[in-house]
Amino acid sequence: MTGLSAFPALPGRTVGAPVDGARRLLLRDVRLHRSGPADPVEPVAAEPLDVHLDRLGPRPLGDPRLVDLLEAAGLTGHGGAHVAAALRWRAVAAGAGPLTVVANGAESEPVAGKDGTLLRQRPHLVLDGLMLAAESLGAHRAVVWLHGDDEGGRRALLAALAERRWSDSRLPVEVLTGPVHYLAGESSAITRAVQGGPALPTVRRRPSDPRAPRTLVHNVETLARLALLARGHAPASTRLLSVLGAHRVVVEVEQATTFGQLLAGLGWPAAPQAVLLGGYGGLWAPWERMSHLPVDERALRAEGLTLGAGVVLPLAAGACGLGATADLVDYLASMSARQCGPCRFGLPALADSWRALAEGRDVLGQVLDDAGAVEGRGACHHPDGATRLVASAVATFEADVAAHRTGRPCVAGGSGPSSAGWSSWLPSSPVPASTGPTPGERR
């Protein structure tokens, strides 16, 4: 693959490993197969229940007062939005309908793998967090939600549930698998699916009946961190990241680690020209801006950036950023829910105009018009990811945009859309977004 520099084998030490191993989430960093679910090249055995209990002791029972601990610790969601967990608990507690708590392990970003890796290595930590949340909030159901192709994650969960037999709780756990689609891991799509509807996002700002069924969706990393906090461990100072090179790697790093240190520790041979943070609907930023920033969400937000779902995609110095972005916008357009005009017509139009710009036509005005026609107007937030991506690409690759508008090659040296090689990381056959979940298994 051109445009994406190769990682060597992971170093013997863990990149940015914390001194306090008790607060670490992963057993070890891993290299994943190039696409698909988070199956490691060299399998890592899941932590058995007896080892889990020897390491951490039994979990406490859930208690409504746990929300105060979440607030004091500043725990936020690790699925992408980084909303305060305590805020979401209090919002859910204000309702009166039956409550379902969901552990979301469905990673929709094609190169993501941190959640699947966590499920494969420490499923009991995730299940502890799920049960703590369910018991604390008086939930009627506890669900783990996965993409239908994540057989490795499903096997790890079912084996862990068989070990536990839920002797510490009267609430069984359902393992549900949804469609293999970009939108099937979005929280409102999961909410509809677990309530019997299609796995499609709901219309934003939808008014809710306080007596209607309630659903709290937490990313599996969030729940794992909850399980540590409830046992009295200080808030973890690490982040789980999925980093793309010639291979995908999942690493756990200290938040004080800079992006320069991260890539150097992974053996990145030369400075990239830019980094895409958060995934395919994320934000581009030039390397000179990124190299000295820490992998800390608060520090990044102060710079107008975000780690999103913890995906880091460096773009090599000789690649065409406009071509890479064209591949990504094409993919996002193909993954729409097709529930509204901005998804059905606006995103394909934006993909076409950006592709024309990447191919050397002077259509920047049309790109901006197409983005403006989509931004903030979708029934859900999916179109906004594409417009944010495009806006960040215009700013990050400003010199290349100017060159392409006059038919000249990129200043960075890339010759066209294919020079980045991103399309080989895209799923080959999209699944219709309307597919619902398969029947769950209870343990």
Side-chain angles (χ1 to χ4, degrees):
M1 175 187 302
T2 58
L4 298 175
S5 298
F7 287 144
L10 288 179
R13 65 179 180 82
T14 300
V15 178
V19 174
D20 181 4
R23 290 187 292 156
R24 181 172 167 80
L25 295 185
L26 297 183
L27 301 178
R28 53 169 287 194
D29 298 341
V30 294
R31 185 175 68 178
L32 307 181
H33 290 291
R34 62 186 297 274
S35 61
D39 295 320
V41 174
E42 298 178 358
V44 179
E47 182 176 58
L49 180 59
D50 58 346
V51 176
H52 169 73
L53 294 175
D54 286 345
R55 182 201 296 259
L56 297 175
R59 71 167 180 87
L61 292 176
D63 188 293
R65 292 170 294 183
L66 189 57
V67 67
D68 297 324
L69 177 62
L70 300 186
E71 186 170 51
L75 181 66
T76 61
H78 286 72
H82 298 275
V83 176
L87 183 66
R88 298 187 63 195
W89 280 36
R90 290 197 168 98
V92 165
L99 173 63
T100 300
V101 176
V102 181
N104 182 12
E107 293 178 288
S108 292
E109 288 292 342
V111 300
K114 72 176 182 67
D115 296 337
T117 297
L118 181 59
L119 284 172
R120 284 161 173 75
Q121 293 190 13
R122 300 192 73 187
H124 290 291
L125 195 62
V126 174
L127 292 171
D128 280 353
L130 174 61
M131 297 313 299
L132 282 163
E135 291 170 356
S136 298
L137 293 166
H140 296 71
R141 294 175 69 194
V143 171
V144 181
W145 177 263
L146 301 172
H147 279 316
D149 64 345
D150 191 7
E151 183 59 28
R154 178 177 166 276
R155 284 197 306 265
L157 280 167
L158 293 180
L161 289 170
E163 280 189 293
R164 298 168 76 101
R165 292 185 170 82
W166 292 116
S167 59
D168 63 345
S169 175
R170 292 173 296 174
L171 192 64
V173 172
E174 303 169 58
V175 179
L176 297 181
T177 54
V180 185
H181 191 278
Y182 188 81
L183 295 177
E186 196 269 342
S187 60
S188 68
I190 296 171
T191 296
R192 291 180 74 179
V194 299
Q195 293 174 3
L200 292 171
T202 55
V203 176
R204 57 175 129 198
R205 294 183 290 276
R206 178 185 175 188
S208 60
D209 180 349
R211 296 166 297 179
R214 299 167 292 158
T215 306
L216 174 66
V217 180
H218 270 318
N219 174 261
V220 294
E221 181 182 349
T222 308
L223 292 172
R225 295 189 184 280
L226 165 63
L228 293 178
L229 286 171
R231 286 178 165 92
H233 292 280
S237 58
T238 63
R239 284 300 309 253
L240 301 187
L241 301 174
S242 306
V243 188
L244 176 63
H247 304 283
R248 290 187 296 163
V249 297
V250 172
V251 297
E252 182 169 3
V253 300
E254 291 278 6
Q255 293 183 94
T257 305
T258 68
F259 284 92
Q261 292 168 333
L262 170 67
L263 294 192
L266 289 172
W268 190 269
Q273 61 168 303
V275 175
L276 180 63
L277 289 181
Y280 286 14
L283 296 168
W284 286 109
W287 181 244
E288 58 267 23
R289 182 184 177 194
M290 292 296 306
S291 61
H292 299 295
L293 290 178
V295 293
D296 178 88
E297 182 65 19
R298 291 184 181 180
L300 290 170
R301 295 231 171 181
E303 296 287 331
L305 300 169
T306 176
L307 278 170
V311 177
V312 179
L313 296 91
L315 184 70
C320 175
L322 276 65
T325 303
D327 289 342
L328 302 180
V329 180
D330 282 344
Y331 175 76
L332 293 174
S334 75
M335 287 289 106
S336 76
R338 300 183 65 81
Q339 296 184 113
C340 64
C343 264
R344 295 184 65 186
F345 308 111
L347 285 183
L350 179 60
D352 288 345
S353 59
W354 185 269
R355 176 69 66 179
L357 177 65
E359 291 175 346
R361 283 180 271 170
D362 187 7
V363 293
L364 180 59
Q366 184 63 53
V367 167
L368 299 178
D369 288 345
D370 290 339
V374 171
E375 178 67 30
R377 300 185 182 185
C380 68
H381 292 284
H382 177 65
D384 298 341
T387 58
R388 285 194 303 269
L389 174 70
V390 164
S392 68
V394 170
T396 299
F397 307 113
E398 181 179 8
D400 293 339
V401 169
H404 277 244
R405 293 180 69 187
T406 59
R408 293 179 288 115
C410 292
V411 174
S415 58
S418 64
S419 67
W422 292 75
S423 59
S424 62
W425 292 88
L426 302 174
S428 56
S429 53
V431 176
S434 59
T435 306
T438 58
E441 299 178 67
R442 295 160 68 94
R443 290 292 189 275

